[in-house]
Amino acid sequence: VAVQSRAFSVGAAVAWAEAGVGAIATQSQTNESFGPLGLEKLRAGLDAERALEELLAADPGRETRQVGIVDASGRAASFTGGSCLDWAGDSTGPGFAAQGNILVSAEVVAAMVRAYTETDGELSERLLAALSAAQAAGGDKRGRQSASLLVVRPSERYPEYRTRYVDLRVEDHPTPIRELTRLFRIHQRGDLVRAHVRYAARYDSLGDAAAAARERERIGAALDSALSEMENDAWVLNNLAWFCASGDVHLEGALRAAQAAAALMPEETAILDTLAEIYRRLGRFDEAMEVVRQGLRTHPEDPYLLEQKRKIEEARAASPSR
């Protein structure tokens, strides 16, 4: 679910989703109970259309409501009450429901649909493209204030992803979609890289090489984006490099990110540990040990660096080229 509004903190009221169940956007004169109640109905086996019918049937204020539902099978249903403020309307298709009220025109919803269906990439990217297109078409005629992006994803090992794979909100900002996109880029270069590493390992265990490769491609895209845009936040670069190292993927690119982070914060031992970790995984033991020595000169008891030193010594001793 992605949304922008002139209202404060729109995401807290509008967006509801659960992996394997479905997604709901409830707005206009928002009935927030439609979120948890609708998910409950979907969880019980109702499809999107039937769940929407039951929600509306029990609501005396339904003509002031606007609701979109997509169930886990991709079936979509929408409703725009007759008392919603002009312009108000919706559009549904396979796997999506687009809607809006108090818009400048019907073109806002049409632009959302075009951008969503024509954009490639991860779901988050497609949703952000839809928001941007809606705003370019005029958006909310009252202006703009808040936006949010909520994406969920099935996982047995990491159940937190079932309700919050991506959960970002901009509560009050003059350009909320731009700010939401900026926050997503930070998330994409940190926690989402870790998630892709986890999903790649899961797909490997299932023997699904194509899905694992897709996850690793997304890691590479995040890395390339950070390096090409000259990311200057040392911790963003470090976290990106560390997650790549922990997944043993894109190590040459991760090395560039770790070197950039170390140049920005040359005495931070956690960053030096990441740089040494990547050198070690690349078999460049002398460079790895030099990084560790650099850190130990000023932090001789640092546990990260001492543990890294032990790993380097063991890896060097076990190396066939020793």
Side-chain angles (χ1 to χ4, degrees), residues 21-25 39 42 48 68-77 92-98:
V21 177
I24 298 172
L39 291 176
L42 295 175
I69 301 179
V70 179
D71 63 33
S73 296
R75 295 167 296 198
T92 59
F96 73 84

Side-chain angles (χ1 to χ4, degrees), residues 3-8 10 27-28 66 85-87 99-105 107-109 112 131-146 176-177:
V3 59
Q4 177 187 257
S5 176
R6 179 60 179 84
F8 173 74
V10 66
Q27 54 194 69
S28 191
Q66 191 170 49
L85 298 179
D86 197 43
W87 186 90
Q99 61 196 40
N101 62 91
I102 324 182
L103 304 179
V104 297
S105 73
E107 175 57 23
V108 176
V109 169
M112 275 195 282
L131 285 188
S132 295
Q135 182 56 43
D140 187 327
K141 67 170 122 182
R142 301 167 300 173
R144 44 191 166 166
Q145 183 171 4
S146 66
I177 296 173

Side-chain angles (χ1 to χ4, degrees), residues 259-272:
Q259 288 170 330
L264 290 166
M265 298 183 70
E267 295 190 7
E268 176 53 57
T269 57
I271 288 176
L272 294 176

